[in-house]
Structures are given as C-alpha cells and as structure tokens.
Amino acid sequence: MKIYGVTGWKNAGKTGLMERLVNEICARGISVSTVKHAHHSFDVDHPGKDSHRHRIAGAREVLLASRHRVALMQELRDDPEPPLSDLLARLSPVDLVLIEGYKRDSHPKVEAHRAETGNPLIAPGDPTIRAVASDTPLTLDRPVFDLDDTAAIADFILSEVGL
C-alpha cells in the first residue's frame, strides 16, 4: 500500500481536501482508504445501543457487523495510543491510504493552508511536506497548489507514490 498525508493546523482545510481527494482518486479507479487522527476524545458509538453497552461493560473490542459495513471498536483503556504504523497494518490492502493529521510522522504529506487562520506554515521546517495547498499565493522551495485545485493535487500525490 502506498501512503500519503494531508496535514496542517486546525481549520486549514484538511478534511475538505481529504474528502475531495478521496472522491477524485476513487473516480480514477484507484482504491483508497483513510486514516484520520483526532486530538480529542471521540465516540462512534451511542449510549443505549447494544455495542455501547458491551464497551461500557468492559469489552476490550466490539465488532459490529451488518451486510453494509463492519466496525471494530477497540478500547485502549490505559494503553498508549498505537503508532501510525500499527494502525496501517490493520487496514485491508488498497492502492492508496490517505492520512489526515499525523503531522509529526515521517510519511510524505501535502500541507493544507488557509491564510485567514493566521497560522504559520509548517512546510519550511519539515522536509516530509512535499507540497502546500493554499488559498493564497506562496513562494516556497516546493510546489504550491491552489487549495481548491483537487485534480492537480491528486495528480501530484499519485505521481509521488507511483500510481
């Protein structure tokens, strides 16, 4: 599996770019999975549902399955967050895994940047960021794309990973 990341500060446009990239790349006949890092507590389950009751009762893993999808919820309890490499190893094989977040990991990335956030660029100090997708023109030592030019960003990523 090839991997490529989309990173950036909060409200930089990462999720919208990820969504558009998945759509664009899948439309080209390439299979894609995603990994999204969350810095906050999150829950994909709902109180009162059977699977939630299993987890609250103490189950370490709850696998929920239907003819439409399968979801595996794993409770870390007091264990540390698994590294990205361990999470990638759990995925079924696909052509490309797009990773949102994980800005400190060593995989290649595109940085999403919106000027209105006032955040500095990460790219100048991070060689793993191979390009920047921005809503404002920038002069950098690597490619800069318009944040909304999904096709060009997809072309760049696919070229980078050899797909």
Side-chain angles (χ1 to χ4, degrees), residues 64-143:
L64 185 59
S66 75
R67 61 183 265 261
H68 298 287
R69 72 189 48 89
V70 173
L72 176 61
M73 292 169 281
Q74 298 175 319
E75 289 296 317
L76 296 179
R77 306 288 178 210
D78 293 325
D79 290 347
E81 180 179 343
L84 178 59
S85 58
D86 289 0
L87 299 174
L88 291 169
R90 297 178 189 181
L91 294 175
S92 299
V94 291
D95 298 322
L96 177 65
V97 178
L98 290 174
I99 301 164
E100 183 178 341
Y102 289 95
K103 69 174 69 81
R104 290 175 184 82
D105 281 69
S106 62
H107 59 279
K109 304 168 194 75
V110 169
E111 178 179 355
H113 175 74
R114 279 197 180 123
E116 71 184 31
T117 67
N119 289 317
L121 282 169
I122 301 166
D126 187 343
T128 68
I129 296 176
R130 306 279 174 82
V132 174
S134 179
D135 65 350
T136 188
L138 300 169
T139 302
L140 292 173
D141 62 349
R142 62 203 82 188

Side-chain angles (χ1 to χ4, degrees), residues 6 22-23 26 47 59 65 82 92 96 103 108 132 150:
V6 172
V22 170
N23 191 324
C26 286
S92 299
L96 177 65
K103 69 174 69 81
V132 174
T150 307

Side-chain angles (χ1 to χ4, degrees), residues 8-99:
W9 300 112
K10 183 178 180 178
N11 296 321
K14 298 180 303 290
T15 301
L17 179 56
M18 283 280 292
E19 182 180 10
R20 293 189 312 273
L21 286 170
V22 170
N23 191 324
E24 174 75 23
I25 294 169
C26 286
R28 298 181 188 193
I30 296 169
S31 60
V32 178
S33 288
T34 65
V35 174
K36 160 87 171 105
H37 189 258
H39 290 283
H40 50 82
S41 179
F42 69 92
D43 207 339
V44 296
D45 213 359
H46 303 285
K49 296 293 184 181
D50 295 349
S51 53
H52 185 266
R53 293 171 61 191
H54 296 181
R55 283 192 311 119
I56 297 306
R60 185 90 178 181
E61 293 186 328
V62 176
L63 193 139
L64 185 59
S66 75
R67 61 183 265 261
H68 298 287
R69 72 189 48 89
V70 173
L72 176 61
M73 292 169 281
Q74 298 175 319
E75 289 296 317
L76 296 179
R77 306 288 178 210
D78 293 325
D79 290 347
E81 180 179 343
L84 178 59
S85 58
D86 289 0
L87 299 174
L88 291 169
R90 297 178 189 181
L91 294 175
S92 299
V94 291
D95 298 322
L96 177 65
V97 178
L98 290 174
I99 301 164

